[in-house]
Coordinates of all heavy atoms in Angstrom, one line a residue:
M1 N -127.0 -60.5 61.3 CA -125.6 -60.7 61.5 C -125.4 -62.0 62.3 O -126.1 -62.2 63.3 CB -125.0 -59.6 62.3 CG -123.5 -59.7 62.4 SD -122.8 -58.1 62.8 CE -121.2 -58.5 63.3
G2 N -124.6 -62.9 61.7 CA -124.4 -64.2 62.3 C -123.0 -64.4 62.9 O -122.1 -63.6 62.7
K3 N -122.9 -65.5 63.7 CA -121.7 -65.8 64.3 C -121.6 -67.3 64.5 O -122.6 -68.0 64.8 CB -121.7 -65.1 65.7 CG -120.5 -65.5 66.6 CD -120.5 -64.7 67.9 CE -121.1 -65.6 68.9 NZ -121.0 -65.0 70.3
I4 N -120.4 -67.9 64.1 CA -120.2 -69.3 64.3 C -118.8 -69.6 64.9 O -117.9 -68.7 64.8 CB -120.4 -70.1 62.9 CG1 -119.3 -69.6 61.9 CG2 -121.8 -70.0 62.4 CD1 -119.2 -70.5 60.7
Q5 N -118.7 -70.7 65.5 CA -117.4 -71.2 66.0 C -116.8 -72.1 65.0 O -117.4 -73.1 64.5 CB -117.6 -72.0 67.3 CG -118.2 -71.2 68.5 CD -117.2 -70.1 68.9 OE1 -116.0 -70.3 69.0 NE2 -117.7 -68.9 69.2
V6 N -115.6 -71.8 64.6 CA -114.8 -72.6 63.7 C -113.8 -73.4 64.5 O -113.0 -72.9 65.3 CB -114.1 -71.7 62.6 CG1 -113.2 -72.6 61.7 CG2 -115.1 -71.0 61.8
N7 N -113.7 -74.7 64.2 CA -112.7 -75.6 64.8 C -112.3 -76.6 63.8 O -112.9 -77.6 63.6 CB -113.4 -76.3 66.1 CG -112.4 -77.1 66.8 OD1 -111.2 -77.2 66.5 ND2 -112.8 -77.9 67.8
M8 N -111.2 -76.3 63.1 CA -110.7 -77.2 62.1 C -109.2 -76.9 61.9 O -108.7 -75.9 62.2 CB -111.4 -77.0 60.8 CG -111.4 -75.7 60.1 SD -112.4 -75.6 58.7 CE -111.8 -76.8 57.7
L9 N -108.5 -78.0 61.4 CA -107.1 -77.9 61.1 C -106.3 -77.4 62.3 O -105.3 -76.7 62.1 CB -106.9 -77.1 59.8 CG -107.6 -77.6 58.6 CD1 -107.4 -76.6 57.5 CD2 -107.1 -78.9 58.1
G10 N -106.7 -77.8 63.5 CA -105.9 -77.4 64.7 C -106.1 -76.0 65.1 O -105.4 -75.5 66.0
T11 N -107.1 -75.3 64.6 CA -107.4 -73.9 65.0 C -108.8 -73.7 65.4 O -109.7 -74.3 64.8 CB -107.0 -73.0 63.8 OG1 -105.7 -73.2 63.4 CG2 -107.2 -71.5 64.1
K12 N -109.0 -72.9 66.4 CA -110.4 -72.5 66.9 C -110.5 -71.0 66.9 O -109.6 -70.3 67.4 CB -110.6 -73.0 68.3 CG -110.6 -74.5 68.5 CD -110.8 -74.9 69.9 CE -110.7 -76.4 70.1 NZ -110.9 -76.8 71.5
F13 N -111.6 -70.5 66.4 CA -111.9 -69.1 66.4 C -113.4 -68.9 66.1 O -114.1 -69.8 65.7 CB -111.0 -68.3 65.5 CG -111.0 -68.7 64.1 CD1 -111.9 -68.1 63.1 CD2 -110.2 -69.8 63.6 CE1 -111.9 -68.5 61.8 CE2 -110.2 -70.2 62.3 CZ -111.1 -69.6 61.4
T14 N -113.8 -67.6 66.3 CA -115.2 -67.2 66.0 C -115.2 -66.4 64.7 O -114.3 -65.6 64.5 CB -115.7 -66.4 67.2 OG1 -115.7 -67.2 68.4 CG2 -117.2 -66.0 66.9
V15 N -116.2 -66.7 63.9 CA -116.4 -65.9 62.7 C -117.7 -65.2 62.8 O -118.7 -65.8 63.2 CB -116.4 -66.9 61.4 CG1 -116.8 -66.1 60.2 CG2 -115.1 -67.6 61.3
R16 N -117.7 -63.9 62.6 CA -118.9 -63.1 62.5 C -119.0 -62.6 61.1 O -118.0 -62.2 60.4 CB -118.7 -61.9 63.5 CG -118.6 -62.2 64.9 CD -118.4 -61.0 65.8 NE -118.0 -61.3 67.1 CZ -118.9 -61.5 68.1 NH1 -120.2 -61.4 67.9 NH2 -118.4 -61.8 69.3
G17 N -120.3 -62.5 60.6 CA -120.5 -62.1 59.3 C -121.8 -61.3 59.2 O -122.7 -61.4 60.1
N18 N -122.0 -60.7 58.0 CA -123.3 -60.0 57.8 C -124.4 -60.9 57.5 O -125.6 -60.5 57.6 CB -123.1 -59.0 56.6 CG -122.2 -57.9 57.0 OD1 -122.1 -57.5 58.2 ND2 -121.5 -57.3 56.0
E19 N -124.1 -62.1 57.1 CA -125.2 -63.1 56.8 C -125.6 -63.8 58.1 O -125.0 -63.7 59.1 CB -124.6 -64.2 55.9 CG -124.0 -63.6 54.6 CD -125.1 -63.1 53.6 OE1 -126.3 -63.4 53.8 OE2 -124.7 -62.2 52.8
D20 N -126.8 -64.5 58.0 CA -127.3 -65.2 59.2 C -126.4 -66.5 59.4 O -125.6 -66.9 58.6 CB -128.8 -65.5 59.0 CG -129.0 -66.5 57.8 OD1 -128.1 -67.2 57.4 OD2 -130.2 -66.5 57.4
E21 N -126.6 -67.0 60.6 CA -125.9 -68.2 61.1 C -126.0 -69.4 60.2 O -125.1 -70.1 59.9 CB -126.2 -68.5 62.5 CG -125.6 -67.6 63.5 CD -125.8 -67.9 64.9 OE1 -126.0 -69.1 65.2 OE2 -125.7 -67.0 65.8
A22 N -127.2 -69.6 59.6 CA -127.5 -70.7 58.7 C -126.6 -70.6 57.5 O -126.0 -71.6 57.1 CB -129.0 -70.7 58.3
H23 N -126.5 -69.4 56.9 CA -125.7 -69.2 55.8 C -124.2 -69.4 56.1 O -123.4 -70.1 55.4 CB -125.9 -67.8 55.2 CG -125.0 -67.6 54.0 ND1 -125.3 -68.1 52.7 CD2 -123.9 -66.8 53.8 CE1 -124.5 -67.7 51.9 NE2 -123.6 -66.9 52.4
L24 N -123.7 -68.9 57.2 CA -122.4 -69.1 57.7 C -122.1 -70.5 57.9 O -121.0 -71.0 57.5 CB -122.1 -68.2 58.9 CG -122.1 -66.7 58.8 CD1 -121.9 -66.1 60.1 CD2 -121.1 -66.2 57.7
N25 N -123.0 -71.3 58.5 CA -122.8 -72.7 58.7 C -122.7 -73.5 57.4 O -121.9 -74.4 57.3 CB -123.9 -73.3 59.6 CG -123.6 -73.0 61.0 OD1 -122.5 -73.2 61.5 ND2 -124.7 -72.6 61.8
R26 N -123.5 -73.1 56.4 CA -123.4 -73.7 55.0 C -122.0 -73.5 54.4 O -121.4 -74.4 53.9 CB -124.5 -73.2 54.1 CG -125.8 -73.8 54.3 CD -126.8 -73.5 53.2 NE -127.0 -72.0 53.0 CZ -127.9 -71.3 53.7 NH1 -128.7 -71.8 54.6 NH2 -128.1 -70.0 53.4
L27 N -121.5 -72.2 54.6 CA -120.2 -71.9 54.1 C -119.1 -72.7 54.8 O -118.2 -73.3 54.2 CB -119.9 -70.4 54.3 CG -120.6 -69.4 53.5 CD1 -120.3 -68.0 53.9 CD2 -120.4 -69.6 52.0
Y28 N -119.2 -72.8 56.1 CA -118.3 -73.5 56.9 C -118.3 -75.0 56.6 O -117.3 -75.7 56.4 CB -118.6 -73.3 58.4 CG -117.7 -74.0 59.4 CD1 -116.3 -74.1 59.2 CD2 -118.2 -74.7 60.5 CE1 -115.5 -74.7 60.1 CE2 -117.4 -75.3 61.4 CZ -116.1 -75.4 61.2 OH -115.3 -76.0 62.1
S29 N -119.5 -75.6 56.4 CA -119.6 -77.0 56.1 C -119.0 -77.3 54.7 O -118.3 -78.3 54.5 CB -121.1 -77.4 56.0 OG -121.6 -77.3 57.3
Y30 N -119.2 -76.4 53.8 CA -118.6 -76.6 52.4 C -117.1 -76.5 52.5 O -116.4 -77.3 51.9 CB -119.2 -75.6 51.5 CG -118.8 -75.8 50.0 CD1 -119.1 -77.0 49.4 CD2 -118.1 -74.9 49.3 CE1 -118.8 -77.3 48.1 CE2 -117.7 -75.1 48.0 CZ -118.1 -76.3 47.4 OH -117.7 -76.6 46.1
Y31 N -116.6 -75.5 53.2 CA -115.2 -75.4 53.4 C -114.6 -76.6 54.0 O -113.5 -77.1 53.6 CB -114.8 -74.1 54.1 CG -113.3 -73.8 54.1 CD1 -112.7 -73.3 53.0 CD2 -112.6 -74.1 55.3 CE1 -111.4 -73.1 53.0 CE2 -111.2 -73.8 55.2 CZ -110.6 -73.3 54.1 OH -109.3 -73.1 54.1
K32 N -115.2 -77.1 55.1 CA -114.7 -78.3 55.7 C -114.7 -79.5 54.8 O -113.8 -80.3 54.8 CB -115.6 -78.7 57.0 CG -115.3 -77.9 58.2 CD -115.9 -78.4 59.5 CE -117.2 -79.0 59.4 NZ -117.8 -79.3 60.8
E33 N -115.8 -79.6 54.0 CA -115.8 -80.7 53.0 C -114.6 -80.6 52.0 O -114.0 -81.6 51.7 CB -117.1 -80.6 52.2 CG -117.3 -81.6 51.1 CD -118.6 -81.4 50.4 OE1 -119.6 -81.0 51.0 OE2 -118.6 -81.6 49.1
I34 N -114.3 -79.4 51.5 CA -113.2 -79.2 50.6 C -111.9 -79.6 51.3 O -111.1 -80.3 50.7 CB -113.2 -77.7 50.1 CG1 -114.4 -77.3 49.3 CG2 -111.9 -77.4 49.3 CD1 -114.5 -77.9 48.0
T35 N -111.7 -79.1 52.5 CA -110.4 -79.3 53.2 C -110.3 -80.8 53.5 O -109.2 -81.4 53.4 CB -110.3 -78.5 54.5 OG1 -111.4 -78.8 55.4 CG2 -110.2 -77.0 54.2
Q36 N -111.3 -81.5 53.9 CA -111.2 -82.9 54.2 C -110.9 -83.7 52.9 O -110.1 -84.6 53.0 CB -112.5 -83.4 54.8 CG -112.7 -82.9 56.2 CD -114.1 -83.2 56.8 OE1 -115.0 -83.6 56.1 NE2 -114.3 -82.9 58.1
T37 N -111.5 -83.3 51.8 CA -111.3 -84.0 50.5 C -109.8 -83.8 50.2 O -109.1 -84.8 49.8 CB -112.2 -83.4 49.4 OG1 -113.5 -83.7 49.8 CG2 -111.9 -84.1 48.1
I38 N -109.3 -82.6 50.3 CA -107.9 -82.3 50.0 C -107.0 -83.1 50.9 O -106.0 -83.7 50.5 CB -107.6 -80.8 50.0 CG1 -108.3 -80.2 48.8 CG2 -106.1 -80.6 50.0 CD1 -108.3 -78.7 48.9
Q39 N -107.3 -83.1 52.2 CA -106.4 -83.8 53.2 C -106.3 -85.3 52.9 O -105.3 -85.8 52.9 CB -107.0 -83.5 54.6 CG -106.1 -84.0 55.7 CD -106.7 -83.6 57.1 OE1 -107.8 -83.2 57.2 NE2 -105.8 -83.6 58.0
I40 N -107.5 -85.9 52.5 CA -107.5 -87.3 52.3 C -106.8 -87.6 50.9 O -106.0 -88.5 50.8 CB -108.9 -87.9 52.3 CG1 -109.4 -87.8 53.8 CG2 -109.0 -89.3 51.8 CD1 -110.9 -88.0 53.9
S41 N -107.2 -86.9 49.9 CA -106.8 -87.2 48.5 C -105.3 -86.9 48.3 O -104.6 -87.6 47.6 CB -107.6 -86.5 47.5 OG -107.4 -85.1 47.5
K42 N -104.8 -85.9 49.0 CA -103.4 -85.5 48.8 C -102.5 -86.0 49.9 O -101.3 -85.8 49.9 CB -103.2 -83.9 48.8 CG -104.1 -83.2 47.7 CD -103.6 -83.5 46.4 CE -104.3 -82.7 45.4 NZ -104.2 -83.2 44.0
K43 N -103.2 -86.7 50.9 CA -102.5 -87.2 52.1 C -101.6 -86.2 52.8 O -100.4 -86.4 53.0 CB -101.6 -88.5 51.7 CG -102.5 -89.6 51.1 CD -101.7 -90.8 50.7 CE -102.7 -91.8 50.2 NZ -102.3 -92.5 49.1
L44 N -102.2 -85.1 53.1 CA -101.5 -83.9 53.7 C -101.8 -83.9 55.2 O -102.9 -84.2 55.6 CB -101.9 -82.6 53.0 CG -101.5 -82.4 51.6 CD1 -102.1 -81.1 51.1 CD2 -100.0 -82.4 51.5
D45 N -100.8 -83.4 56.0 CA -101.0 -83.2 57.4 C -100.8 -81.7 57.7 O -101.2 -81.3 58.8 CB -100.0 -84.1 58.2 CG -100.4 -85.5 58.2 OD1 -101.6 -85.9 58.0 OD2 -99.4 -86.3 58.3
N46 N -100.2 -81.0 56.9 CA -99.9 -79.6 57.2 C -101.1 -78.7 57.0 O -101.6 -78.6 55.8 CB -98.8 -79.2 56.2 CG -98.3 -77.8 56.5 OD1 -99.1 -76.9 56.7 ND2 -97.0 -77.6 56.4
P47 N -101.7 -78.1 58.0 CA -102.9 -77.3 58.0 C -102.8 -76.1 57.0 O -103.7 -75.8 56.3 CB -103.1 -76.8 59.4 CG -102.4 -77.8 60.2 CD -101.2 -78.3 59.4
L48 N -101.6 -75.5 56.9 CA -101.4 -74.4 56.1 C -101.5 -74.8 54.6 O -102.2 -74.2 53.8 CB -100.0 -73.7 56.3 CG -99.7 -72.5 55.5 CD1 -100.8 -71.4 55.7 CD2 -98.3 -72.0 55.8
Q49 N -100.9 -75.9 54.2 CA -101.0 -76.4 52.9 C -102.4 -76.8 52.5 O -102.9 -76.5 51.4 CB -100.1 -77.7 52.7 CG -98.6 -77.3 52.7 CD -97.8 -78.6 52.6 OE1 -98.2 -79.7 52.8 NE2 -96.5 -78.4 52.2
I50 N -103.1 -77.4 53.4 CA -104.5 -77.8 53.2 C -105.4 -76.6 53.0 O -106.2 -76.5 52.1 CB -105.0 -78.7 54.4 CG1 -104.3 -80.0 54.5 CG2 -106.5 -78.9 54.2 CD1 -104.5 -80.8 55.7
S51 N -105.2 -75.6 53.8 CA -105.9 -74.3 53.7 C -105.7 -73.6 52.4 O -106.6 -73.1 51.8 CB -105.6 -73.4 54.9 OG -106.0 -73.9 56.1
I52 N -104.4 -73.6 52.0 CA -104.1 -72.9 50.8 C -104.7 -73.6 49.6 O -105.2 -73.0 48.7 CB -102.5 -72.7 50.6 CG1 -102.0 -71.7 51.7 CG2 -102.1 -72.3 49.2 CD1 -100.5 -71.7 51.8
L53 N -104.5 -74.9 49.6 CA -105.1 -75.7 48.4 C -106.7 -75.6 48.4 O -107.3 -75.5 47.4 CB -104.7 -77.2 48.5 CG -103.3 -77.5 48.2 CD1 -102.9 -78.9 48.4 CD2 -103.0 -77.1 46.7
A54 N -107.3 -75.5 49.6 CA -108.7 -75.3 49.7 C -109.1 -74.0 49.1 O -110.1 -73.8 48.3 CB -109.2 -75.5 51.1
G55 N -108.3 -72.9 49.4 CA -108.6 -71.6 48.9 C -108.4 -71.6 47.4 O -109.3 -71.0 46.7
I56 N -107.4 -72.2 46.9 CA -107.2 -72.3 45.4 C -108.3 -73.0 44.8 O -108.8 -72.6 43.7 CB -105.8 -72.9 45.1 CG1 -104.7 -71.9 45.5 CG2 -105.7 -73.2 43.6 CD1 -103.3 -72.5 45.5
T57 N -108.8 -74.1 45.4 CA -109.9 -74.9 44.8 C -111.1 -74.0 44.7 O -111.9 -74.0 43.7 CB -110.1 -76.1 45.7 OG1 -109.0 -76.9 45.7 CG2 -111.3 -76.9 45.2
L58 N -111.4 -73.3 45.8 CA -112.6 -72.5 45.8 C -112.5 -71.3 44.8 O -113.5 -71.0 44.2 CB -112.9 -71.9 47.3 CG -113.3 -73.0 48.2 CD1 -113.2 -72.5 49.7 CD2 -114.6 -73.6 47.9
V59 N -111.4 -70.7 44.7 CA -111.2 -69.6 43.7 C -111.4 -70.2 42.3 O -112.0 -69.5 41.5 CB -109.8 -68.9 43.9 CG1 -109.5 -68.0 42.7 CG2 -109.8 -68.1 45.2
D60 N -110.9 -71.4 42.1 CA -111.0 -72.0 40.8 C -112.5 -72.2 40.5 O -113.0 -71.9 39.4 CB -110.3 -73.4 40.8 CG -110.5 -74.1 39.4 OD1 -110.2 -73.5 38.4 OD2 -110.9 -75.3 39.5
E61 N -113.3 -72.7 41.4 CA -114.7 -72.9 41.3 C -115.4 -71.5 41.0 O -116.3 -71.4 40.1 CB -115.4 -73.5 42.5 CG -115.1 -74.9 42.7 CD -115.8 -75.5 44.0 OE1 -116.7 -74.8 44.5 OE2 -115.4 -76.5 44.4
L62 N -115.0 -70.5 41.7 CA -115.6 -69.2 41.5 C -115.3 -68.6 40.1 O -116.2 -68.1 39.5 CB -115.1 -68.2 42.6 CG -115.6 -66.8 42.5 CD1 -117.1 -66.7 42.7 CD2 -114.8 -65.9 43.6
L63 N -114.1 -68.7 39.7 CA -113.7 -68.2 38.4 C -114.4 -68.9 37.3 O -114.9 -68.3 36.3 CB -112.2 -68.2 38.2 CG -111.4 -67.2 39.0 CD1 -109.9 -67.4 38.8 CD2 -111.8 -65.8 38.5
K64 N -114.5 -70.3 37.4 CA -115.3 -71.0 36.4 C -116.7 -70.6 36.3 O -117.3 -70.5 35.3 CB -115.1 -72.5 36.7 CG -113.8 -73.1 36.3 CD -113.7 -74.6 36.7 CE -112.3 -75.1 36.4 NZ -112.1 -76.5 36.9
E65 N -117.3 -70.4 37.5 CA -118.7 -70.0 37.6 C -118.9 -68.6 37.0 O -119.8 -68.4 36.2 CB -119.2 -70.0 39.0 CG -120.7 -69.7 39.2 CD -121.5 -70.9 38.7 OE1 -121.1 -72.0 38.7 OE2 -122.7 -70.6 38.3
K66 N -118.0 -67.7 37.3 CA -118.1 -66.3 36.7 C -118.0 -66.4 35.2 O -118.7 -65.7 34.5 CB -117.0 -65.4 37.3 CG -117.4 -64.9 38.7 CD -116.3 -63.9 39.1 CE -116.7 -63.2 40.4 NZ -115.8 -62.2 40.8
T67 N -117.0 -67.2 34.7 CA -116.8 -67.3 33.3 C -118.1 -67.9 32.6 O -118.5 -67.4 31.6 CB -115.6 -68.2 33.0 OG1 -114.4 -67.6 33.6 CG2 -115.4 -68.3 31.5
Q68 N -118.7 -68.9 33.2 CA -119.9 -69.5 32.7 C -121.0 -68.4 32.7 O -121.8 -68.4 31.7 CB -120.3 -70.7 33.5 CG -121.4 -71.5 32.8 CD -121.1 -72.0 31.4 OE1 -120.1 -72.5 31.2 NE2 -122.0 -71.7 30.5
N69 N -121.1 -67.6 33.7 CA -122.2 -66.6 33.8 C -122.0 -65.6 32.7 O -122.9 -65.1 32.1 CB -122.2 -65.9 35.1 CG -122.8 -66.8 36.2 OD1 -123.5 -67.8 35.9 ND2 -122.5 -66.5 37.4
I70 N -120.7 -65.2 32.4 CA -120.4 -64.2 31.3 C -120.8 -64.8 30.0 O -121.4 -64.2 29.1 CB -118.9 -63.8 31.3 CG1 -118.7 -62.9 32.6 CG2 -118.5 -63.1 30.1 CD1 -117.2 -62.7 32.8
V71 N -120.5 -66.1 29.8 CA -120.8 -66.8 28.5 C -122.3 -66.9 28.3 O -122.9 -66.6 27.3 CB -120.2 -68.2 28.4 CG1 -120.8 -69.0 27.3 CG2 -118.7 -68.1 28.3
N72 N -123.0 -67.2 29.4 CA -124.5 -67.3 29.4 C -125.1 -66.0 29.1 O -126.1 -65.8 28.3 CB -125.0 -67.9 30.7 CG -124.7 -69.4 30.8 OD1 -124.3 -70.0 29.9 ND2 -124.8 -69.9 32.0
S73 N -124.6 -64.9 29.7 CA -125.1 -63.6 29.5 C -124.9 -63.1 28.1 O -125.7 -62.5 27.5 CB -124.4 -62.6 30.5 OG -124.8 -61.3 30.3
K74 N -123.7 -63.4 27.6 CA -123.4 -63.0 26.2 C -124.3 -63.8 25.2 O -124.8 -63.2 24.3 CB -121.9 -63.4 25.9 CG -121.5 -63.1 24.4 CD -120.5 -62.0 24.3 CE -120.0 -61.9 22.9 NZ -120.9 -61.3 22.0
S75 N -124.6 -65.0 25.5 CA -125.5 -65.8 24.6 C -126.9 -65.2 24.6 O -127.5 -65.1 23.6 CB -125.5 -67.3 25.1 OG -124.3 -67.9 24.9
S76 N -127.3 -64.8 25.8 CA -128.7 -64.2 25.9 C -128.7 -62.9 25.1 O -129.6 -62.6 24.4 CB -129.0 -63.9 27.4 OG -129.1 -65.1 28.0
S77 N -127.6 -62.1 25.3 CA -127.5 -60.8 24.6 C -127.5 -61.0 23.1 O -128.2 -60.3 22.3 CB -126.3 -60.1 25.1 OG -126.1 -58.9 24.3
D78 N -126.7 -62.0 22.6 CA -126.6 -62.3 21.2 C -128.0 -62.7 20.6 O -128.4 -62.4 19.5 CB -125.6 -63.4 20.9 CG -124.2 -62.9 21.1 OD1 -124.0 -61.7 21.2 OD2 -123.3 -63.8 21.1
A79 N -128.8 -63.5 21.4 CA -130.1 -63.9 21.0 C -131.0 -62.8 20.8 O -131.8 -62.7 19.9 CB -130.6 -65.0 22.0
V80 N -131.0 -61.8 21.8 CA -131.8 -60.6 21.7 C -131.5 -59.8 20.5 O -132.3 -59.4 19.7 CB -131.7 -59.8 23.0 CG1 -132.4 -58.4 22.8 CG2 -132.3 -60.5 24.2
E81 N -130.2 -59.6 20.3 CA -129.7 -58.9 19.1 C -130.1 -59.5 17.8 O -130.5 -58.9 16.8 CB -128.2 -58.7 19.2 CG -127.7 -57.7 20.3 CD -126.2 -57.6 20.4 OE1 -125.5 -58.3 19.6 OE2 -125.8 -56.9 21.3
G82 N -130.1 -60.9 17.8 CA -130.5 -61.6 16.6 C -131.9 -61.4 16.3 O -132.3 -61.3 15.1
R83 N -132.8 -61.4 17.3 CA -134.2 -61.2 17.1 C -134.5 -59.8 16.6 O -135.3 -59.6 15.8 CB -135.0 -61.5 18.4 CG -135.1 -63.0 18.7 CD -136.1 -63.2 19.8 NE -135.8 -62.6 21.1 CZ -135.0 -63.1 22.1 NH1 -134.5 -64.3 21.9 NH2 -134.8 -62.5 23.2
I84 N -133.8 -58.8 17.1 CA -133.9 -57.4 16.7 C -133.5 -57.3 15.2 O -134.2 -56.7 14.4 CB -133.1 -56.4 17.6 CG1 -133.7 -56.4 19.0 CG2 -133.0 -55.1 17.0 CD1 -132.9 -55.6 20.0
A85 N -132.4 -57.9 14.9 CA -131.9 -57.8 13.5 C -132.9 -58.5 12.6 O -133.2 -58.0 11.5 CB -130.5 -58.5 13.4
E86 N -133.4 -59.6 13.0 CA -134.4 -60.4 12.2 C -135.7 -59.5 12.0 O -136.2 -59.5 10.9 CB -134.8 -61.6 13.0 CG -135.4 -62.7 12.1 CD -135.5 -64.0 13.0 OE1 -134.5 -64.6 13.3 OE2 -136.7 -64.3 13.3
R87 N -136.1 -58.8 13.0 CA -137.3 -58.0 12.9 C -137.0 -56.8 11.9 O -137.8 -56.5 11.1 CB -137.7 -57.5 14.3 CG -139.1 -56.8 14.2 CD -139.5 -56.2 15.5 NE -138.7 -54.9 15.7 CZ -138.1 -54.6 16.8 NH1 -138.1 -55.4 17.8 NH2 -137.4 -53.5 16.8
L88 N -135.9 -56.2 12.1 CA -135.5 -55.0 11.2 C -135.4 -55.5 9.8 O -135.9 -54.8 8.9 CB -134.2 -54.4 11.7 CG -134.2 -53.6 13.0 CD1 -132.8 -53.2 13.4 CD2 -135.2 -52.4 12.9
T89 N -134.8 -56.6 9.6 CA -134.7 -57.2 8.2 C -136.1 -57.5 7.6 O -136.3 -57.1 6.4 CB -133.8 -58.5 8.2 OG1 -132.6 -58.2 8.8 CG2 -133.7 -59.0 6.8
S90 N -136.9 -58.0 8.4 CA -138.3 -58.3 7.9 C -139.0 -57.0 7.6 O -139.7 -57.0 6.6 CB -139.0 -59.1 9.0 OG -140.3 -59.3 8.6
D91 N -138.9 -56.0 8.4 CA -139.5 -54.7 8.1 C -139.0 -54.1 6.8 O -139.7 -53.6 6.0 CB -139.2 -53.7 9.3 CG -140.0 -54.1 10.6 OD1 -140.9 -55.0 10.5 OD2 -139.7 -53.5 11.6
M92 N -137.6 -54.2 6.6 CA -137.1 -53.6 5.4 C -137.6 -54.4 4.2 O -137.9 -53.8 3.1 CB -135.5 -53.7 5.4 CG -134.9 -52.6 6.3 SD -133.1 -52.5 6.2 CE -132.6 -54.0 7.1
I93 N -137.7 -55.7 4.3 CA -138.2 -56.5 3.1 C -139.6 -56.1 2.8 O -140.0 -56.0 1.7 CB -138.1 -58.0 3.4 CG1 -136.6 -58.4 3.4 CG2 -138.9 -58.9 2.4 CD1 -136.3 -59.8 3.9
S94 N -140.4 -55.9 3.9 CA -141.8 -55.5 3.7 C -141.9 -54.1 3.0 O -142.7 -53.9 2.1 CB -142.6 -55.4 5.0 OG -142.7 -56.7 5.6
K95 N -141.1 -53.2 3.4 CA -141.0 -51.9 2.8 C -140.6 -52.0 1.3 O -141.2 -51.3 0.4 CB -140.1 -50.9 3.5 CG -140.7 -50.5 4.9 CD -139.8 -49.6 5.6 CE -140.5 -49.3 7.0 NZ -139.6 -48.4 7.8
I96 N -139.6 -52.8 1.0 CA -139.2 -53.0 -0.4 C -140.3 -53.6 -1.2 O -140.5 -53.2 -2.4 CB -137.9 -53.9 -0.4 CG1 -136.7 -53.1 0.2 CG2 -137.6 -54.3 -1.9 CD1 -135.5 -53.9 0.4
D97 N -141.0 -54.6 -0.6 CA -142.1 -55.2 -1.4 C -143.2 -54.2 -1.7 O -143.8 -54.2 -2.7 CB -142.7 -56.4 -0.5 CG -141.8 -57.6 -0.6 OD1 -141.0 -57.7 -1.4 OD2 -142.0 -58.5 0.3
D98 N -143.5 -53.3 -0.7 CA -144.5 -52.3 -0.9 C -144.1 -51.3 -2.0 O -145.0 -50.9 -2.8 CB -144.7 -51.4 0.4 CG -145.4 -52.2 1.5 OD1 -146.0 -53.3 1.2 OD2 -145.3 -51.8 2.6
V99 N -142.8 -51.0 -2.2 CA -142.4 -50.1 -3.2 C -142.4 -50.8 -4.6 O -142.7 -50.2 -5.6 CB -140.9 -49.6 -2.9 CG1 -140.3 -48.8 -4.1 CG2 -140.9 -48.7 -1.7
L100 N -142.1 -52.0 -4.6 CA -142.1 -52.8 -5.9 C -143.5 -53.1 -6.3 O -144.0 -53.1 -7.3 CB -141.3 -54.1 -5.8 CG -139.8 -53.9 -5.5 CD1 -139.1 -55.2 -5.3 CD2 -139.1 -53.2 -6.6

């Protein structure tokens, strides 16, 4: 269980999580990177707006990643099914050849 101090966008607090501190620090660093990018690119000063846009950005990344994983999983499943169908077809052709 880890614990880190968060100090950003005018707010300070402690975050405790089930992950170790190194993991929590990676999360915090990535979140800070996102918020700083938004703050600079959108020229925002309002911490609430920055936080909300950072949250939306992260959810967008997560949904895109999940969608890609589903597509990759489906492709793998289709490939396995294709190999099974190919093997069954080959077996049937062999049996037909034997009968003829």
Side-chain angles (χ1 to χ4, degrees):
M1 185 160 163
K3 174 176 96 171
I4 61 170
Q5 295 294 319
V6 172
N7 182 6
M8 63 185 299
L9 301 172
T11 303
K12 294 180 186 180
F13 56 95
T14 301
V15 172
R16 295 177 195 269
N18 292 331
E19 303 293 336
D20 61 21
E21 286 184 23
H23 181 73
L24 294 176
N25 278 314
R26 282 192 302 274
L27 292 175
Y28 178 45
S29 293
Y30 188 59
Y31 188 75
K32 281 194 324 188
E33 179 184 322
I34 297 285
T35 57
Q36 289 168 352
T37 300
I38 289 169
Q39 189 172 18
I40 292 167
S41 67
K42 304 292 185 194
K43 298 179 179 138
L44 293 174
D45 289 329
N46 184 318
L48 181 60
Q49 289 177 341
I50 295 166
S51 295
I52 290 170
L53 287 174
I56 291 169
T57 299
L58 292 169
V59 168
D60 179 53
E61 287 182 17
L62 178 63
L63 286 176
K64 285 177 182 173
E65 186 69 28
K66 281 185 171 187
T67 301
Q68 187 60 46
N69 286 340
I70 289 169
V71 168
N72 290 344
S73 177
K74 175 114 174 77
S75 295
S76 295
S77 176
D78 288 348
V80 168
E81 288 174 4
R83 286 192 299 272
I84 291 170
E86 201 173 287
R87 190 185 75 228
L88 291 173
T89 302
S90 178
D91 289 348
M92 284 190 285
I93 289 171
S94 292
K95 287 179 183 179
I96 291 170
D97 284 343
D98 289 345
V99 171
L100 295 176

